[in-house]
Amino acid sequence: MTTVIRRNVRPTASNTGSAYSDSASSNTFQSNQSERDDRDKVDERDSDDDNKETRLTLMEEVLLLGLKDREGYTSFWNDCISSGLRGCILTELSFRGRVELEKTGARRRTLANRKVILLDDTATGDVLLDEALRHIKDTQPTETVQSWIEYLSGECWNPLKLKYQLRNVRERLAKSLVDKGICSTEKQNFFLFDMTTHPLSDSVHKVKLVKKVQDSVLSRWPNDPRRMDKRILALIYLAHASDVLENAFTSLSDDDYEVAMKHVRELLDLDPDQETDDSDIVISFSSIRTSVYSLQIAASMGQFLSRMGILLGTRINNYDSNRIPLHHKCRNCGRGCDPMKSTTTCANAKFTRTGTKDQVAIIRPVIPDEKVRWSSSFDYQPVEFTAEKVRTSTKEYVDRDPRQDPSVEIPWNSDDRLCDRRSYHGTYKIIGRVPQNPCGRTGITGRGHLGHFGPNHAADPIVTRWKRDADGEKVIHTETGKPILQFVCIKRKDTNEYAIPGGMVDKKEKVTDTLQREFQEETLNFPELDERKKHDLLATIKDIFENGGIRIYCGYVDDPRNTDNSWMETTAYNFHDGNNEHLALINVHGGSDALSAFWHDLGSETPLFASHADFVERVAHLHQAHW
């Protein structure tokens, strides 16, 4: 397991040529009690009063993260923030629809080599943004984003381009924070000279900013960066590029800090050119560099920031229409899905019926594709359904219905240590005392067959090996010319469908524990092993499931059990034994939770339960195998 070592945040250097000078100083933070008081102030703010909140630009947010609260200046050793703030300016212009990145066309270009195109030269009302916008407008031919960051920061070798340098950026941004009542202006004497500083005068805004960054990588972490809020994603990348992101994590516990940094690393590990093949990009930060005097730092920053191209589309998509994909299996689409007739006309027709052996089957009302989203107007008359077994259960993990019992209080959107009610897709709405499915209408309200209102978390281990012939060579598919993967497949007891071995995450259980437990319960019964071999095999599986594996997906599942108030979310990991050293040698059998288990060829022709086909397809693409 990866060990994360917390480093002390070093002071960072001021921009060369800027009137906003810095000096070395220890990084002083407020006391824990003061920090708790500030957080209380934030929590007391009315969440519906956002229009009255002070609006900050990306540049101001990054600088605010970098400013020492009491000293009022950025760290002395920071060689990154100068170029980082110029990257913020270009990003802010793209968010406001003023610029975009050129289309790639037939001749593929890397993100670093694509040019910034002017869309609209209308003034923004911000002095720095408008100054940069004028430079972009007056420059022909167009320049790449790499060139613009060098020009705006004054770090280019061309003396004819020095006129583009934006001077005193940090000082001007700090004064803007003063005008907004967040900072104040003071004079401090540093031995031989006086320096203007801007300590915090209203810490609530910074606490709120820090909390927003922390929540984005902890409680609201999604499975795909493209599903994150675009501004917060840009803020995380740019704050990291400016070497101030860790300032937002210093107050976290060691466990939360490790999770936060793990998620940040996942963002850094993305391949920008691969991620942007199917999306429009506004701006790339591949060339946000530090200083021409810090070439080693600049090289590492450039390598990191080349991943920034995954961030932005030419237009910002609405959460409700784009954040989570449309579901099909938990609704009745009405096209060839007559549930009273044969299901051969539609693969999802059987899912329009729901019920139990003791209850009459309920037919979901028809919901057209364009009416699934809650934002669309629709004469919607869903059917209330909660399985009798769920409704009468007295088990601890089964929710009581807060609509029927006013005394029931459920901590929505939080982890109460007994049940993690947070969604991978962020905060969900509470309507009529129960959660609203973030993916839209399903035709059924209540819990259906699920125990919890809101997200019901599961874990799915995808164990794979290469299919090999008698000589141990990989078997190649005759049509695609790619090697064939095999995966551990089970036959479910409840639906008789093929599926990945997986199940629900128990209370206080880590996902890695669930993955291991479900794999053992559904695929292993050890009929041919003695106790010693069984013990050794379990130890091997435990080590692999705790320290290996690649996360394939985590998020909403298009599951036939989903309702308007309860839905499935899962985490799928791939454990691949490419050399037939451990998992590939296991002779799997149906365990206690499955009719049977076996190694099965991985391919698109195999129908699988719920969204499992989507998961194994991702695995095939990951290993460049036949699909």
Side-chain angles (χ1 to χ4, degrees):
M1 185 171 293
T2 304
T3 302
V4 177
I5 300 176
R6 302 184 68 160
R7 69 178 177 87
N8 294 324
V9 181
R10 297 175 308 158
T12 36
S14 61
N15 184 22
T16 304
S18 170
Y20 190 69
S21 302
D22 303 330
S23 179
S25 175
S26 61
N27 203 3
T28 307
F29 294 91
Q30 297 178 352
S31 67
N32 292 337
Q33 182 61 47
S34 176
E35 183 175 302
R36 286 193 293 270
D37 292 341
D38 290 337
R39 288 186 178 275
D40 290 340
K41 293 179 184 178
V42 173
D43 293 336
E44 290 171 3
R45 287 180 181 261
D46 186 354
S47 60
D48 295 328
D49 199 28
D50 286 341
N51 291 332
K52 298 180 182 179
E53 293 290 338
T54 301
R55 301 289 181 173
L56 301 180
T57 63
L58 281 173
M59 305 88 74
E60 292 168 338
E61 288 180 325
V62 169
L63 181 63
L64 189 57
L65 286 176
L67 283 176
K68 300 174 186 291
D69 294 359
R70 295 177 180 174
E71 291 86 343
Y73 50 83
T74 56
S75 298
F76 179 74
W77 303 105
N78 194 335
D79 291 323
C80 310
I81 195 169
S82 174
S83 297
L85 290 174
R86 272 66 174 184
C88 291
I89 292 173
L90 293 177
T91 311
E92 190 72 45
L93 287 174
S94 71
F95 273 128
R96 301 191 184 200
R98 300 306 197 274
V99 298
E100 70 174 355
L101 209 61
E102 67 173 337
K103 308 300 182 195
T104 181
R107 193 172 128 198
R108 301 287 295 177
R109 297 184 181 88
T110 62
L111 294 167
N113 294 322
R114 287 158 69 176
K115 297 181 179 180
V116 177
I117 305 300
L118 180 68
L119 292 178
D120 184 359
D121 62 357
T122 305
T124 65
D126 183 278
V127 176
L128 281 172
L129 294 179
D130 291 343
E131 185 176 344
L133 192 62
R134 285 194 298 271
H135 291 327
I136 295 174
K137 177 184 177 182
D138 296 339
T139 301
Q140 290 297 331
T142 54
E143 298 278 3
T144 64
V145 64
Q146 174 178 354
S147 299
W148 273 119
I149 292 173
E150 292 176 353
Y151 296 163
L152 297 177
S153 58
E155 295 175 357
C156 66
W157 294 100
N158 188 346
L160 298 179
K161 302 293 185 180
L162 292 178
K163 61 182 179 180
Y164 294 136
Q165 181 181 358
L166 299 179
R167 299 180 181 276
N168 304 335
V169 169
R170 269 180 280 183
E171 177 66 17
R172 292 154 76 179
L173 290 173
K175 288 182 177 178
S176 177
L177 294 175
V178 172
D179 293 339
K180 293 179 179 180
I182 299 173
C183 296
S184 60
T185 301
E186 296 180 359
K187 290 284 188 180
Q188 290 192 27
N189 180 267
F190 287 87
F191 301 106
L192 300 179
F193 61 92
D194 290 332
M195 186 178 79
T196 302
T197 61
H198 301 281
L200 287 184
S201 59
D202 182 359
S203 60
V204 172
H205 289 84
K206 184 166 184 178
V207 170
K208 184 175 181 180
L209 174 63
V210 168
K211 186 175 186 297
K212 179 173 69 172
V213 175
Q214 292 178 356
D215 288 347
S216 67
V217 293
L218 292 174
S219 61
R220 300 182 182 181
W221 174 253
N223 66 292
D224 189 334
R226 286 170 292 188
R227 290 177 178 170
M228 289 183 72
D229 177 80
K230 297 297 187 285
R231 288 193 69 90
I232 188 64
L233 183 57
L235 175 60
I236 289 173
Y237 271 113
L238 289 163
H240 189 284
S242 304
D243 199 22
V244 300
L245 181 59
E246 273 201 51
N247 293 353
F249 299 149
T250 54
S251 62
L252 294 175
S253 66
D254 287 344
D255 289 343
D256 285 343
Y257 179 87
E258 183 174 353
V259 173
M261 295 308 297
K262 176 177 178 291
H263 290 162
V264 169
R265 285 196 301 272
E266 289 181 20
L267 293 178
L268 308 187
D269 289 340
L270 293 172
D271 183 345
D273 293 300
Q274 179 179 349
E275 293 290 334
T276 57
D277 281 344
D278 58 353
S279 61
D280 294 326
I281 305 302
V282 174
I283 210 74
S284 163
F285 305 101
S286 55
S287 54
I288 297 179
R289 293 159 55 183
T290 54
S291 165
V292 292
Y293 306 110
S294 306
L295 295 179
Q296 187 174 11
I297 299 177
S300 61
M301 290 300 297
Q303 182 181 12
F304 153 61
L305 289 165
S306 67
R307 303 182 174 103
M308 288 291 293
I310 63 169
L311 283 180
L312 311 171
T314 51
R315 292 293 180 268
I316 300 175
N317 295 310
N318 181 272
Y319 167 91
D320 191 46
S321 63
N322 192 54
R323 186 155 185 177
I324 306 177
L326 192 71
H327 55 210
H328 297 280
K329 294 183 179 180
C330 57
R331 69 181 180 91
N332 183 359
C333 67
R335 297 195 304 271
C337 287
D338 187 346
M340 306 307 295
K341 299 179 181 179
S342 171
T343 61
T344 57
T345 57
C346 177
N348 298 325
K350 59 184 176 181
F351 301 128
T352 65
R353 298 185 287 268
T354 189
T356 64
K357 295 179 180 178
D358 302 323
Q359 290 180 288
V360 178
I362 294 174
I363 309 300
R364 297 176 187 263
V366 175
I367 305 173
D369 286 353
E370 66 274 12
K371 299 298 182 181
V372 172
R373 303 297 181 188
W374 295 109
S375 56
S376 61
S377 60
F378 184 48
D379 183 16
Y380 184 47
Q381 298 179 349
V383 179
E384 174 74 21
F385 170 67
T386 298
E388 189 69 16
K389 183 178 180 180
V390 174
R391 189 180 64 81
T392 59
S393 176
T394 57
K395 294 180 178 179
E396 182 183 16
Y397 63 82
V398 176
D399 290 341
R400 289 190 296 162
D401 195 331
R403 299 172 300 177
Q404 300 175 0
D405 187 349
S407 66
V408 174
E409 294 293 338
I410 299 178
W412 307 119
N413 291 297
S414 64
D415 182 1
D416 62 4
R417 302 303 179 187
L418 291 177
C419 176
D420 189 350
R421 300 182 184 276
R422 297 172 296 180
S423 170
Y424 288 118
H425 302 285
T427 303
Y428 48 83
K429 297 179 180 179
I430 307 300
I431 307 295
R433 300 201 72 204
V434 291
Q436 183 184 73
N437 190 321
C439 200
R441 301 179 173 103
T442 67
I444 292 179
T445 56
R447 279 170 293 169
H449 298 281
L450 299 175
H452 294 303
F453 285 103
N456 291 253
H457 292 288
D460 295 303
I462 307 172
V463 178
T464 56
R465 69 182 183 185
W466 293 113
K467 184 176 183 179
R468 299 180 184 273
D469 58 22
D471 297 325
E473 298 297 326
K474 296 179 183 178
V475 176
I476 306 300
H477 195 273
T478 55
E479 294 183 5
T480 61
K482 295 182 177 181
I484 299 175
L485 276 176
Q486 292 183 318
F487 72 105
V488 175
C489 182
I490 66 166
K491 192 172 184 180
R492 292 176 63 98
K493 286 184 177 180
D494 52 354
T495 64
N496 287 325
E497 292 180 280
Y498 289 168
I500 303 166
M504 307 303 295
V505 178
D506 289 343
K507 64 179 182 179
K508 298 183 180 180
E509 187 176 45
K510 296 187 297 184
V511 170
T512 53
D513 295 335
T514 305
L515 291 166
Q516 179 184 342
R517 173 176 56 79
E518 290 295 336
F519 181 74
Q520 292 178 194
E521 289 178 355
E522 298 191 356
T523 67
L524 303 177
N525 60 13
F526 311 107
E528 76 286 0
L529 297 182
D530 57 31
E531 287 300 318
R532 177 61 182 273
K533 291 182 179 179
K534 177 180 176 180
H535 178 273
D536 292 343
L537 179 58
L538 289 177
T540 300
I541 292 174
K542 182 178 186 334
D543 180 67
I544 293 171
F545 273 72
E546 288 185 352
N547 301 298
I550 299 173
R551 192 175 72 176
I552 300 300
Y553 177 82
C554 69
Y556 184 92
V557 180
D558 187 11
D559 191 287
R561 293 169 289 184
N562 292 348
T563 73
D564 288 358
N565 309 124
S566 301
W567 61 92
M568 290 291 301
E569 295 188 13
T570 194
T571 302
Y573 272 80
N574 174 222
F575 300 92
H576 179 61
D577 184 1
N579 298 320
N580 285 26
E581 295 175 336
H582 34 75
L583 293 178
L585 303 177
I586 296 176
N587 185 16
V588 296
H589 300 271
S592 60
D593 289 354
L595 288 175
S596 60
F598 44 90
W599 287 98
H600 190 73
D601 291 356
L602 192 152
S604 58
E605 61 277 0
T606 303
L608 293 174
F609 174 77
S611 297
H612 292 188
D614 297 333
F615 303 156
V616 296
E617 181 181 7
R618 293 185 182 211
V619 172
H621 294 325
L622 173 67
H623 298 291
Q624 298 182 340
H626 161 70
W627 175 251

